[in-house]
Amino acid sequence: MSDPSKAPHTFPPQGTIPPQGYPQGYPPASYPPQGYPPQGFPPQGYPPQGYPPAGYPPPGFPPAGYPPQGYPPQGFPPAGYPPQGYPPAGYPPAGYPPAGYPPPIQGVAPAQGKASELAPNYEIQFKATKLDNKDLGSLSDPFLVLFARSENAVALGSNSKKEKKAGKKKGKLQSKNWVVVHKTEVVDNNLSPVWKSFQVNSQKLCRGLLDYPILVECYDFDAHQSHELIGRVQLTMRELLSLNEFKLKNPNRIGLSDTAGHLHCVKCTPLP
């Protein structure tokens, strides 16, 4: 019996080329188009001489026998690891960390039952866009105030009478039960200001917690201290680290919306 693999081959193969049923006019007569590939492609000298460089990869790399046979060794990690009862019962010991640690910051309530989730210090930078204009004959002179939340702070966004009353007050840079942590410089005559970066301690700002509330208010500066609220936003360090745009709200704004501008986080970086 003859071996079919050794049968003589004919080229082109018998039959119709292209096979029956193959679409007429394909590929089109003008394919590939004239001038393709373009003259000078690839360019002269490509790839450059000496690439890859002689001796690359170096001889003996990776070394023979790498990774070594039997790695990782059988039975690793060993059975019973970690040992039963680890960590031991009663660890950490009762009363650790001691009461009163970390020491409280004046005017700011300590976090309850949570260790710090953040680096001690951060460099933060903000800018704003499309701010409402509060001045006649010129543009607003905006600056920001960052507040830490105290124990009895009123949550924003409730449109309560207290919140609206606080929004109407001029020259008051401390919202109800919120403690001022930082004020930026004033940017004159600008509705899209970019403020300088600043450093802030995360314990003072948000107890070192990712989701603890932070209040940012934007004011129009007035030389007579009657600073007028442009808008405010309540946010968290988690949002500063993951988002870069926030709406500044003013419950007393006249118009179809209470949005008085947009706050942008340009930078929020932990310091070494």
Side-chain angles (χ1 to χ4, degrees), residues 187-204:
V187 179
D188 293 328
N189 205 39
N190 200 323
L191 299 182
S192 296
V194 179
W195 292 280
K196 295 177 183 177
S197 63
F198 58 91
Q199 296 181 12
V200 67
N201 180 271
S202 64
Q203 281 290 334
K204 289 183 178 179

Side-chain angles (χ1 to χ4, degrees), residues 45 65 131 167 194 201 206 214 227 239-240 268:
L131 292 180
V194 179
N201 180 271
C206 59
I214 301 165
H227 310 310
E239 291 170 325
L240 285 178
C268 185

Side-chain angles (χ1 to χ4, degrees), residues 18 57 59 77 89 124 137 182 213 216 243 264:
I124 301 176
H182 179 79
V216 183
L243 305 175
H264 305 261

Side-chain angles (χ1 to χ4, degrees), residues 4-252:
S5 66
K6 295 182 179 178
H9 295 282
T10 57
F11 189 83
Q14 292 179 341
T16 306
I17 300 295
Q20 279 187 328
Y22 197 85
Q24 279 188 325
Y26 189 85
S30 59
Y31 187 84
Q34 264 190 328
Y36 186 85
Q39 281 188 325
F41 185 85
Q44 251 185 339
Y46 186 85
Q49 279 188 325
Y51 185 84
Y56 185 85
F61 186 85
Y66 185 86
Q69 267 190 327
Y71 186 87
Q74 280 188 326
F76 185 86
Y81 185 87
Q84 274 189 326
Y86 185 87
Y91 184 87
Y96 186 87
Y101 186 86
I105 301 165
Q106 188 173 7
V108 178
Q112 298 296 321
K114 287 190 178 180
S116 178
E117 299 168 331
L118 297 167
N121 298 294
Y122 281 77
E123 184 176 9
I124 301 176
Q125 185 180 17
F126 289 110
K127 70 176 183 179
T129 54
K130 300 180 181 178
L131 292 180
D132 281 354
N133 190 16
K134 296 293 185 178
D135 292 341
L136 295 175
S138 64
L139 302 179
S140 296
D141 307 313
F143 67 98
L144 296 178
V145 187
L146 274 73
F147 297 88
R149 186 178 181 180
S150 62
E151 290 184 28
N152 302 314
V154 177
L156 299 182
S158 60
N159 289 326
S160 65
K161 290 181 180 179
K162 287 184 178 180
E163 184 183 338
K164 291 186 177 181
K165 187 177 179 182
K168 290 179 180 178
K169 290 185 179 180
K170 296 183 179 181
K172 187 175 182 181
L173 298 186
Q174 182 162 332
S175 290
K176 181 70 174 175
N177 296 318
W178 292 80
V179 182
V180 176
V181 174
H182 179 79
K183 287 192 286 186
T184 69
E185 76 281 6
V186 177
V187 179
D188 293 328
N189 205 39
N190 200 323
L191 299 182
S192 296
V194 179
W195 292 280
K196 295 177 183 177
S197 63
F198 58 91
Q199 296 181 12
V200 67
N201 180 271
S202 64
Q203 281 290 334
K204 289 183 178 179
L205 184 62
C206 59
R207 327 293 200 271
L209 301 177
L210 276 168
D211 297 308
Y212 208 84
I214 301 165
L215 176 62
V216 183
E217 293 189 336
C218 183
Y219 286 89
D220 175 30
F221 178 83
D222 189 282
H224 303 292
Q225 293 298 309
S226 56
H227 310 310
E228 188 172 359
L229 178 70
I230 296 176
R232 59 160 68 105
V233 60
Q234 185 175 301
L235 42 78
T236 66
M237 279 297 287
R238 187 187 298 276
E239 291 170 325
L240 285 178
L241 290 165
S242 58
L243 305 175
N244 60 10
E245 184 174 337
F246 308 88
K247 290 182 180 179
L248 291 166
K249 302 280 190 175
N250 188 333
N252 301 296

